Amino acid sequence: MTEQQVIERVWKAPIDLVWKLWTSAEGIASWFGPAGFQVTVDEIDLRPGGTFRYTMGATDPEKIASMEKAGRPVSWAVESTITEVDPPNKFVYDSPMGPETMTTSAEFTEGPDGVKLVLIIGATKAGMTGGAAMGWESSLDRFAEQLA
Amino acid sequence: MGDLARKLPIAQSGVSRHLRILKDAGMVESRTEGQRRIYSLRAEPFEKLSEWLGQYRRLWENRLDQFELELERQTAASPPRVELGRKTAPKKPNSRRTK
């Protein structure tokens, strides 16, 4: 069971700047966190098999209060494994999402209109047990909260 | 279930066990027709998967908006900084003022 979502964007900017913003710790910290959350990159080892670990923390006082009330942690770490690095064109990593794996692939190409990004997010699910279904639901809740 | 067992390289008991797990997980449902047990896929968990990924899509759309803003900020940052430098720290008036 595999599902994919593809998003495309085109930016008028030098490809090296796009790459730096996408793959450096300071760059990622400037855009990765959803509204009300701050992301700190703890480690990003740009090579296949390297670790990409970040901590996502709520910064919005209202959000913090509601998360504490619901007994949820206000910050958590996500550790992904980088699977493909080809500067400044391709960056792919796998993230554990409960028992599932989510693959995030970003490909940058230079064209006449600027740098084109093709982002592919894919989830692979092999069989779902009761426990997995619960983990699934809680991830859903957590992300719904981040989007709110 | 017999149909499935014939098509798969595993014993009928194995197929039965797999189907039971899928049923417990809500992926399939079953009904009995006489001696036969008919299994069918449930649409809901599949829809849920696509809904779940849809949430990621929205998360990423937001992220990309923020990325774009930061990119604009950074591409805009370099040229004005040079101009600003020229205006606030002009070389000639400076040297005239100091001497």
Side-chain angles (χ1 to χ4, degrees):
Chain A
M1 219 171 147
T2 304
E3 274 270 337
Q4 274 192 347
Q5 291 272 349
V6 181
I7 306 178
E8 291 185 4
R9 296 267 175 121
V10 177
W11 297 304
K12 274 220 175 305
I15 195 164
D16 291 334
L17 179 62
V18 170
W19 179 259
K20 203 178 129 217
L21 204 51
W22 195 274
T23 58
S24 69
E26 317 80 68
I28 292 165
S30 72
W31 60 275
F32 206 78
F37 291 85
Q38 179 58 48
V39 159
T40 316
V41 177
D42 308 306
E43 185 181 350
I44 182 158
D45 185 7
L46 283 179
R47 59 177 179 85
T51 297
F52 169 33
R53 191 177 62 244
Y54 63 83
T55 304
M56 172 116 51
T59 50
D60 179 44
E62 247 176 67
K63 218 154 251 174
I64 292 174
S66 78
M67 286 166 88
E68 277 174 344
K69 207 175 152 196
R72 291 176 192 279
V74 295
S75 87
W76 60 92
V78 179
E79 184 166 321
S80 305
T81 304
I82 295 167
T83 55
E84 227 181 307
V85 184
D86 180 18
N89 298 113
K90 200 166 184 190
F91 182 55
V92 187
Y93 58 88
D94 283 342
S95 320
M97 290 292 154
E100 322 306 335
T101 299
M102 170 154 295
T103 302
T104 307
S105 159
E107 211 163 343
F108 308 101
T109 45
E110 273 179 304
D113 301 323
V115 176
K116 182 181 172 189
L117 159 74
V118 178
L119 181 77
I120 303 172
I121 41 178
T124 305
K125 266 192 75 57
M128 186 157 65
T129 64
M134 268 162 62
W136 196 249
E137 287 290 333
S138 102
S139 298
L140 239 176
D141 289 351
R142 183 171 280 180
F143 271 87
E145 233 171 54
Q146 283 181 38
L147 293 168
Chain B
M1 196 182 84
D3 295 343
L4 262 177
R6 268 189 297 278
K7 283 186 181 137
L8 294 167
I10 47 175
Q12 177 140 349
S13 61
V15 172
S16 161
R17 194 156 44 87
H18 280 283
L19 284 170
R20 200 170 54 241
I21 292 167
L22 285 172
K23 195 184 169 187
D24 288 345
M27 306 286 286
V28 298
E29 55 198 3
S30 71
R31 60 178 201 278
T32 41
E33 274 180 17
Q35 294 285 75
R36 286 157 56 89
R37 189 168 274 273
I38 314 286
Y39 281 91
S40 49
L41 282 171
R42 291 182 66 238
E44 206 201 340
F46 292 88
E47 281 161 10
K48 211 170 244 177
L49 178 61
S50 125
E51 197 182 289
W52 183 69
L53 214 54
Q55 302 241 17
Y56 272 97
R57 188 190 180 89
R58 285 190 290 280
L59 174 77
W60 269 102
E61 296 275 9
N62 282 343
R63 262 185 195 157
L64 293 176
D65 288 346
Q66 290 173 176
F67 182 86
E68 193 168 325
L69 278 176
E70 188 58 29
L71 201 58
E72 275 169 16
R73 223 173 53 86
Q74 296 221 3
T75 44
S78 359
R81 209 180 280 153
V82 174
E83 251 171 70
L84 210 75
R86 247 182 249 142
K87 275 178 197 162
T88 52
K91 269 177 188 158
K92 273 184 183 170
N94 248 5
S95 55
R96 200 171 48 196
R97 222 180 296 144
T98 45
K99 266 263 154 208

